[in-house]
Amino acid sequence: MSEALHAEWTKARTVPGTIWLLAGVITLTVSLGALVTASTKCGSAGCGQDPARVSLTGIYLGQAVVAVLAVLAISDEYSTGMIRITLAAMPSRVTVLAAKAAVLAGLTVAAGAVAVLPSALLGRLLLPGNGLGYPLDGAMLRAVAGSVLYLGLIALLSLGVATVVRESAVAIGFVLTLLFVFPIVAHFVSNTTWQRHLEQIGPMTAGMAIQDTVNLASQPIGPWPGLGVLAAWAAGSLLLGGLMLRLRDALPARRH
Amino acid sequence: MTTIAPYRSLAPARRAGFAQLLHAEWTKLRTVRGWLVGLLLIPLLTVGFGALISSGSECGFMYPAPNGQFVSGPCSAPIGPGGELVQDHFYFTHQALTGNGVITARITALTGPSLQPWAKAGIIVKASTTPGSAYAAMLVTGAHGVRMQWNFTEDTAGMPGFVSASLPRWLRLVRVGDTVTGYDSADGSHWTEVGRTTLAGLPSTVQVGLLAATPPPTGQGAVAVNQAVTSTGAFDHVDVTGAVGGSWQGIELGRSPGGGDPGGFQQTGGGFTVTGIGDIAPDIGEGAGAGTPITHTLDGVFAGLIAAIVVGVIFVTAEYRRGLIRTTLTASPGRGRVIAAKAIVLGVVTFLLAFIGCAISVPLDEHLLRSHGNVMDPVSTLTWLRIVAGSAAVFAGAAMFGVALGAIYRRGASAVCTAIVVIVVPWFLAVSSPALSATVSDWLLRISPSAALAIQQVIPKYPQVASDYLPSDGFYPLAPWAGFAVLCVWTAGALWLAVHLLRGRDV
């Protein structure tokens, strides 16, 4: 397994795109967070907003780049034919996927931490001046650390999807649809029961519950159970990906 | 001795014209199975998600009750003389007037708990007491001075300033045939004409009298603030000349199911006080009316847009992955023309498929929404065509944007991600994220290509109707075609960059 990890780590760090994508995760997360944080103005009565959610809004964009990073980790191997060499060198396909998942999760969590901390810091600096208190308590710590974990789980979910779909453009389209479809449908339906259930089962809506620090009782799902739902999606997609990787030919017949 | 002539194609020599290029791209598009599946997903996802959302949208309108709470009730909205859904809910103290006549009143106060800027009290000439019937009214308002309003959508300003005992307002309506003219005055002797309108088909006998109404408060968290809202007008010098029949009657026009309206009137000497809630204005949906704008039948568009983007991107990146791009550029060395041909072929095909999808989605979702108790705002054929064809054009623009990004990145994942982040995510954030301030949401929908969804806006923003006018209720910061132009600028810019890069690069 350690050889597999080493091999995947070598691939990840020598592919030119990786460093740019990681930088993209950090830049997009921090800049959208800064924009939203700076533009939030609350009156004396407060505006019912969650300071953690406001300062960490950048995750909505950052996760899209995380998904690209994860999708490319596997689909690039298919598009270049590298997968044949990888599987020749490491015939245990589950090991390959596990090593990829571990390296990817490590990279994402590291970049996520670098992205989330400045966002939280900006919230702490700017939001109290705009009428929104920013307490540094357990709930805030949970929101900040949980957002990093959220990005890691999004990477695993995307890796699983890409292992099944293989074609990178389709995989990323599928992942982003899966993430955004639940909150959009929940927003438009007026039936409150539907709304609550959609937000409870959607990977993004449930996972983002980890950012809740106020009005926890009125949220559709609690912070940790919410992250658990996302973890279940990620586990399910990796499981399906691993199964397909085992069952299928490494490369479909190609038309040259 | 025989010489063997080398093989020559029997096809006549021809220029590699643009028509042949279009034909080549069309052949590619229709023969790759994955692309066909993607193209078919455009209408399927649009219709499917639209139907799903409509099935989960039961109408339960929250009617303001006198105690400041809101009472849920079935949705209903009358249709005004202009054919649109209207709110026609106010307290009406009225008499019948046959033929020509004049109603004059002096109003000395407009009061009420948390008086709203568009709280109203004044005089009115109305075709009948049936909700939705034609009318013309002279009103004093909470914060917008004297207004003349008629037939729900029209509004003209009269004297500015707030009414009080020391600054009373005299209001007058003169009815001659179908024409009603409104006047205001500070002293009852010097009159200024505010407006004149012809109410088509006004019956000989009309109802004239005094009205009071107030819309509920708007703004962030307004519904959560349980404040009792009523408006009370104090009138004196009330005078109706003409063939007047009967005594003064009071009626709560419109309805407030289960609310037990607080409206009423008292006659004291020569004066009246009239108290009412509700509004007499166009129904603009969420918050200000019970109707559902037809825009909501196209809520599934976002899912189809993602499919259009993906197809647009892989229409180019698959050529790179398979090496087909070399063949393509050998056959047609003009690189700008290749990109143009791809964009045109895909744009046209996407437009047609998306048009079919939207043309199915609108009537289907209208039916589903109606069966869930929603009242749909009727639209003209022209508006119907604009939102269906306009939405289809947005799909085409998104697919062409995908083509451009595919050529720029040459890698599917980054191109699809960029297109979705630029088109769908800003719209998502602006429409449904509570963390974004209204200013940021507005700007996102001005500068990102998702501004193009303004093409689906059907109900205008009325200055005389207080509402939040949120994007999620179908109100966009840009005018329909201006919003669409934003997408065109993005797509044209991306296509230009794609051609520029393709010319400078090795394949």
Side-chain angles (χ1 to χ4, degrees), chain A residues 14-119:
Chain A
T14 51
V15 169
T18 308
I19 190 74
W20 293 110
L21 289 169
L22 291 174
V25 173
I26 297 166
T27 319
L28 283 180
T29 305
V30 174
S31 45
L32 179 66
L35 179 73
V36 174
T37 302
S39 68
T40 299
K41 300 264 187 286
C42 295
S44 52
C47 44
Q49 300 221 352
D50 190 327
R53 285 224 171 211
V54 170
S55 65
L56 299 172
T57 307
I59 297 287
Y60 280 110
L61 280 187
Q63 64 180 355
V65 188
V66 166
V68 175
L69 184 75
V71 165
L72 288 182
I74 185 88
S75 65
D76 253 8
E77 294 222 9
Y78 280 103
S79 65
T80 57
M82 175 78 176
I83 190 75
R84 279 183 277 218
I85 299 167
T86 301
L87 293 181
M90 295 183 282
S92 165
R93 298 186 173 191
V94 173
T95 310
V96 169
L97 190 61
K100 273 194 188 299
V103 168
L104 191 64
L107 280 173
T108 310
V109 166
V114 177
V116 162
L117 285 177
S119 302

Side-chain angles (χ1 to χ4, degrees), chain B residues 192-215:
Chain B
T192 311
E193 182 179 323
V194 179
R196 179 187 295 255
T197 177
T198 303
L199 305 176
L202 200 64
S204 166
T205 298
V206 296
Q207 301 297 322
V208 299
L210 313 172
L211 80 94
T214 178

Side-chain angles (χ1 to χ4, degrees), chain B residues 283-503:
Chain B
D283 181 323
I284 59 163
E286 318 269 333
T292 302
I294 198 157
T295 308
H296 276 307
T297 59
L298 289 167
D299 284 344
V301 159
F302 77 95
L305 273 182
I306 294 181
I309 289 168
V310 172
V311 174
V313 167
I314 57 178
F315 193 34
V316 177
T317 56
E319 292 221 9
Y320 278 99
R321 214 155 50 90
R322 303 268 182 219
L324 182 65
I325 188 78
R326 284 179 219 140
T327 315
T328 303
L329 292 181
T330 307
S332 174
R335 296 186 175 189
R337 295 178 359 143
V338 170
I339 295 289
K342 277 191 178 295
I344 290 170
V345 167
L346 188 66
V348 169
V349 172
T350 305
F351 179 87
L352 292 175
L353 286 169
F355 188 92
I356 294 169
C358 294
I360 293 172
S361 210
V362 172
L364 174 69
D365 293 350
E366 249 189 304
H367 172 77
L368 285 171
L369 284 166
R370 277 212 183 91
S371 67
H372 285 86
N374 297 275
V375 188
M376 302 304 295
D377 205 5
V379 292
S380 66
T381 314
L382 208 64
T383 309
W384 191 94
L385 253 179
R386 191 246 294 165
I387 61 167
V388 170
S391 300
V394 173
F395 278 95
M400 289 157 97
F401 189 63
V403 166
L405 287 189
I408 291 169
Y409 281 96
R410 292 178 288 186
R411 288 157 68 99
S414 314
V416 169
C417 178
T418 306
I420 292 177
V421 159
V422 166
I423 297 180
V424 181
V425 177
W427 171 80
F428 162 76
L429 288 174
V431 164
S432 72
S433 169
L436 256 63
S437 66
T439 327
V440 175
S441 299
D442 260 18
W443 276 105
L444 281 180
L445 290 175
R446 278 175 210 275
I447 57 174
S448 85
S450 54
L453 289 170
I455 205 89
Q456 297 176 349
Q457 178 173 337
V458 284
I459 298 178
K461 296 181 187 177
Y462 292 98
Q464 77 271 29
V465 183
S467 173
D468 297 335
Y469 291 108
L470 298 174
S472 53
D473 300 333
F475 295 100
Y476 287 82
L478 291 179
W481 293 107
F484 184 68
V486 173
L487 172 66
C488 293
V489 169
W490 275 82
T491 302
L495 283 170
W496 176 85
L497 184 64
V499 171
H500 181 75
L501 288 175
L502 191 62
R503 284 200 177 125

Side-chain angles (χ1 to χ4, degrees), chain B residues 140-159:
Chain B
V140 298
T141 58
H144 299 279
V146 173
R147 319 292 295 194
M148 177 168 176
Q149 297 188 343
W150 63 94
N151 283 358
F152 304 95
T153 54
E154 306 306 315
D155 172 56
T156 308
M159 294 166 70

Side-chain angles (χ1 to χ4, degrees), chain B residues 26-111:
Chain B
W26 162 240
T27 308
K28 283 183 210 163
L29 188 63
R30 76 185 160 77
T31 50
V32 177
R33 201 180 43 183
W35 298 351
L36 266 186
V37 171
L39 284 170
L40 289 178
L41 277 178
I42 295 171
L44 284 177
L45 289 176
T46 304
V47 173
F49 277 104
L52 179 74
I53 290 170
S54 299
S55 307
S57 298
E58 279 133 29
C59 194
F61 187 63
M62 303 305 282
Y63 290 89
N67 58 3
Q69 305 288 330
F70 286 79
V71 179
S72 150
C75 290
S76 77
I79 289 185
E84 69 287 300
L85 291 183
V86 298
Q87 311 176 70
D88 201 2
H89 178 199
F90 62 98
Y91 196 85
F92 190 16
T93 305
H94 62 101
Q95 275 186 320
L97 167 75
T98 305
N100 298 341
V102 178
I103 174 169
T104 309
R106 186 175 80 155
I107 180 161
T108 54
L110 175 62
T111 53

